[in-house]
mmCIF file of all heavy atoms in Angstrom:
data_model
loop_
_atom_site.group_PDB
_atom_site.id
_atom_site.type_symbol
_atom_site.label_atom_id
_atom_site.label_comp_id
_atom_site.label_asym_id
_atom_site.label_seq_id
_atom_site.Cartn_x
_atom_site.Cartn_y
_atom_site.Cartn_z
ATOM 1 N N VAL A 263 26.551 -96.644 24.773
ATOM 2 C CA VAL A 263 25.949 -97.935 25.095
ATOM 3 C C VAL A 263 26.011 -98.332 26.556
ATOM 4 O O VAL A 263 25.180 -99.069 27.101
ATOM 5 C CB VAL A 263 26.669 -99.094 24.304
ATOM 6 C CG1 VAL A 263 26.508 -98.891 22.774
ATOM 7 C CG2 VAL A 263 28.160 -99.232 24.626
ATOM 8 N N PRO A 271 23.398 -106.050 37.828
ATOM 9 C CA PRO A 271 23.144 -107.128 36.827
ATOM 10 C C PRO A 271 22.711 -108.448 37.484
ATOM 11 O O PRO A 271 23.244 -108.850 38.547
ATOM 12 C CB PRO A 271 24.441 -107.268 36.137
ATOM 13 C CG PRO A 271 25.489 -106.695 37.056
ATOM 14 C CD PRO A 271 24.795 -105.678 37.938
ATOM 15 N N LEU A 276 25.986 -109.384 31.998
ATOM 16 C CA LEU A 276 25.194 -108.190 31.675
ATOM 17 C C LEU A 276 25.938 -106.918 32.217
ATOM 18 O O LEU A 276 25.515 -105.819 31.773
ATOM 19 C CB LEU A 276 23.820 -108.299 32.369
ATOM 20 C CG LEU A 276 22.866 -109.395 31.811
ATOM 21 C CD1 LEU A 276 21.555 -109.391 32.605
ATOM 22 C CD2 LEU A 276 22.676 -109.309 30.355
ATOM 23 N N ALA A 277 26.923 -107.036 32.975
ATOM 24 C CA ALA A 277 27.762 -105.867 33.410
ATOM 25 C C ALA A 277 28.789 -105.506 32.383
ATOM 26 O O ALA A 277 29.436 -104.613 32.489
ATOM 27 C CB ALA A 277 28.459 -106.159 34.685
ATOM 28 N N VAL A 290 33.340 -101.647 13.816
ATOM 29 C CA VAL A 290 33.287 -102.208 15.214
ATOM 30 C C VAL A 290 31.959 -101.897 15.775
ATOM 31 O O VAL A 290 31.491 -100.763 15.738
ATOM 32 C CB VAL A 290 34.440 -101.574 16.069
ATOM 33 C CG1 VAL A 290 34.271 -101.981 17.499
ATOM 34 C CG2 VAL A 290 35.779 -101.895 15.528
ATOM 35 N N VAL A 309 40.166 -102.675 11.152
ATOM 36 C CA VAL A 309 40.108 -103.987 11.697
ATOM 37 C C VAL A 309 41.062 -104.964 10.977
ATOM 38 O O VAL A 309 40.867 -105.215 9.783
ATOM 39 C CB VAL A 309 38.625 -104.520 11.614
ATOM 40 C CG1 VAL A 309 38.569 -105.957 12.225
ATOM 41 C CG2 VAL A 309 37.647 -103.589 12.279
ATOM 42 N N GLY A 313 36.714 -110.565 15.308
ATOM 43 C CA GLY A 313 36.616 -111.252 16.589
ATOM 44 C C GLY A 313 35.549 -110.636 17.444
ATOM 45 O O GLY A 313 34.986 -109.601 17.091
ATOM 46 N N LEU A 317 33.516 -107.181 27.596
ATOM 47 C CA LEU A 317 34.432 -106.519 28.591
ATOM 48 C C LEU A 317 33.694 -105.801 29.620
ATOM 49 O O LEU A 317 32.611 -105.171 29.328
ATOM 50 C CB LEU A 317 35.427 -105.649 27.794
ATOM 51 C CG LEU A 317 36.358 -106.236 26.812
ATOM 52 C CD1 LEU A 317 37.091 -105.246 25.998
ATOM 53 C CD2 LEU A 317 37.386 -107.126 27.613
ATOM 54 N N ILE A 325 38.898 -96.594 31.855
ATOM 55 C CA ILE A 325 40.179 -96.533 31.200
ATOM 56 C C ILE A 325 40.249 -95.672 30.003
ATOM 57 O O ILE A 325 41.041 -94.750 29.780
ATOM 58 C CB ILE A 325 40.660 -98.022 30.815
ATOM 59 C CG1 ILE A 325 40.943 -98.808 32.134
ATOM 60 C CG2 ILE A 325 41.968 -97.985 30.064
ATOM 61 C CD1 ILE A 325 41.180 -100.245 31.899
ATOM 62 N N GLU A 333 45.351 -92.640 18.495
ATOM 63 C CA GLU A 333 45.019 -94.051 18.187
ATOM 64 C C GLU A 333 45.155 -94.954 19.416
ATOM 65 O O GLU A 333 46.017 -94.773 20.209
ATOM 66 C CB GLU A 333 45.814 -94.549 17.033
ATOM 67 C CG GLU A 333 45.572 -93.882 15.685
ATOM 68 C CD GLU A 333 46.267 -94.565 14.497
ATOM 69 O OE1 GLU A 333 47.218 -95.327 14.778
ATOM 70 O OE2 GLU A 333 45.827 -94.382 13.368
ATOM 71 N N ALA A 340 43.929 -115.391 20.983
ATOM 72 C CA ALA A 340 42.931 -116.388 20.506
ATOM 73 C C ALA A 340 42.695 -117.404 21.677
ATOM 74 O O ALA A 340 43.526 -117.899 22.306
ATOM 75 C CB ALA A 340 43.462 -117.159 19.306
ATOM 76 N N PHE A 364 26.089 -113.812 26.302
ATOM 77 C CA PHE A 364 25.559 -112.440 26.281
ATOM 78 C C PHE A 364 24.222 -112.576 25.467
ATOM 79 O O PHE A 364 24.212 -113.169 24.249
ATOM 80 C CB PHE A 364 26.565 -111.559 25.478
ATOM 81 C CG PHE A 364 26.207 -110.072 25.670
ATOM 82 C CD1 PHE A 364 26.678 -109.358 26.797
ATOM 83 C CD2 PHE A 364 25.374 -109.445 24.701
ATOM 84 C CE1 PHE A 364 26.386 -108.041 26.911
ATOM 85 C CE2 PHE A 364 25.076 -108.125 24.853
ATOM 86 C CZ PHE A 364 25.597 -107.430 25.988
ATOM 87 N N PHE A 450 -1.121 -96.604 14.832
ATOM 88 C CA PHE A 450 -1.060 -97.459 16.026
ATOM 89 C C PHE A 450 -0.698 -96.680 17.254
ATOM 90 O O PHE A 450 -0.365 -95.463 17.180
ATOM 91 C CB PHE A 450 0.060 -98.609 15.858
ATOM 92 C CG PHE A 450 1.460 -97.962 15.582
ATOM 93 C CD1 PHE A 450 2.281 -97.721 16.703
ATOM 94 C CD2 PHE A 450 1.895 -97.927 14.329
ATOM 95 C CE1 PHE A 450 3.594 -97.232 16.435
ATOM 96 C CE2 PHE A 450 3.200 -97.369 14.091
ATOM 97 C CZ PHE A 450 4.027 -97.131 15.186
ATOM 98 N N GLU A 473 17.715 -87.426 9.158
ATOM 99 C CA GLU A 473 16.435 -86.893 8.831
ATOM 100 C C GLU A 473 15.279 -87.638 9.534
ATOM 101 O O GLU A 473 14.185 -87.060 9.781
ATOM 102 C CB GLU A 473 16.200 -86.926 7.283
ATOM 103 C CG GLU A 473 17.070 -85.942 6.564
ATOM 104 C CD GLU A 473 16.728 -85.913 5.093
ATOM 105 O OE1 GLU A 473 15.810 -86.714 4.643
ATOM 106 O OE2 GLU A 473 17.360 -85.096 4.362
ATOM 107 N N TYR A 505 -6.676 -90.049 28.357
ATOM 108 C CA TYR A 505 -6.378 -88.705 28.728
ATOM 109 C C TYR A 505 -7.190 -87.586 28.016
ATOM 110 O O TYR A 505 -7.312 -86.504 28.486
ATOM 111 C CB TYR A 505 -4.885 -88.464 28.534
ATOM 112 C CG TYR A 505 -4.340 -88.754 27.178
ATOM 113 C CD1 TYR A 505 -4.362 -87.719 26.186
ATOM 114 C CD2 TYR A 505 -3.822 -89.982 26.797
ATOM 115 C CE1 TYR A 505 -3.917 -88.039 24.867
ATOM 116 C CE2 TYR A 505 -3.372 -90.176 25.518
ATOM 117 C CZ TYR A 505 -3.410 -89.245 24.584
ATOM 118 O OH TYR A 505 -3.032 -89.473 23.317
ATOM 119 N N PRO A 510 -10.891 -80.357 29.523
ATOM 120 C CA PRO A 510 -12.207 -79.668 29.351
ATOM 121 C C PRO A 510 -12.244 -78.962 27.981
ATOM 122 O O PRO A 510 -11.176 -78.723 27.316
ATOM 123 C CB PRO A 510 -12.228 -78.679 30.444
ATOM 124 C CG PRO A 510 -11.147 -79.079 31.421
ATOM 125 C CD PRO A 510 -10.187 -79.831 30.662
ATOM 126 N N GLN A 512 -14.750 -76.393 27.480
ATOM 127 C CA GLN A 512 -15.309 -75.038 27.666
ATOM 128 C C GLN A 512 -14.759 -74.519 28.949
ATOM 129 O O GLN A 512 -14.482 -75.231 29.961
ATOM 130 C CB GLN A 512 -16.857 -75.152 27.769
ATOM 131 C CG GLN A 512 -17.476 -75.440 26.439
ATOM 132 C CD GLN A 512 -19.033 -75.475 26.540
ATOM 133 O OE1 GLN A 512 -19.579 -75.878 27.487
ATOM 134 N NE2 GLN A 512 -19.692 -75.028 25.495
ATOM 135 N N LEU A 541 3.779 -75.257 47.662
ATOM 136 C CA LEU A 541 2.452 -74.617 47.326
ATOM 137 C C LEU A 541 2.550 -73.103 47.042
ATOM 138 O O LEU A 541 3.259 -72.408 47.830
ATOM 139 C CB LEU A 541 1.434 -74.765 48.432
ATOM 140 C CG LEU A 541 -0.057 -74.566 48.126
ATOM 141 C CD1 LEU A 541 -0.576 -75.611 47.226
ATOM 142 C CD2 LEU A 541 -0.829 -74.480 49.434
ATOM 143 N N ILE A 573 -7.153 -60.611 30.860
ATOM 144 C CA ILE A 573 -8.068 -61.543 31.582
ATOM 145 C C ILE A 573 -9.508 -61.391 31.190
ATOM 146 O O ILE A 573 -10.028 -60.272 31.035
ATOM 147 C CB ILE A 573 -7.957 -61.249 33.166
ATOM 148 C CG1 ILE A 573 -6.481 -61.500 33.636
ATOM 149 C CG2 ILE A 573 -8.838 -62.281 33.871
ATOM 150 C CD1 ILE A 573 -6.228 -60.969 34.985
ATOM 151 N N PRO A 626 -5.053 -77.995 40.144
ATOM 152 C CA PRO A 626 -4.777 -77.185 41.231
ATOM 153 C C PRO A 626 -4.813 -77.934 42.591
ATOM 154 O O PRO A 626 -5.397 -79.031 42.599
ATOM 155 C CB PRO A 626 -5.933 -76.155 41.242
ATOM 156 C CG PRO A 626 -6.583 -76.240 39.843
ATOM 157 C CD PRO A 626 -6.310 -77.740 39.457
#
Side-chain angles (χ1 to χ4, degrees):
V263 299
L276 295 180
V290 174
V309 181
L317 296 169
I325 293 172
E333 290 189 342
F364 195 88
F450 60 87
E473 292 184 358
Y505 55 89
Q512 291 183 321
L541 196 70
I573 302 169

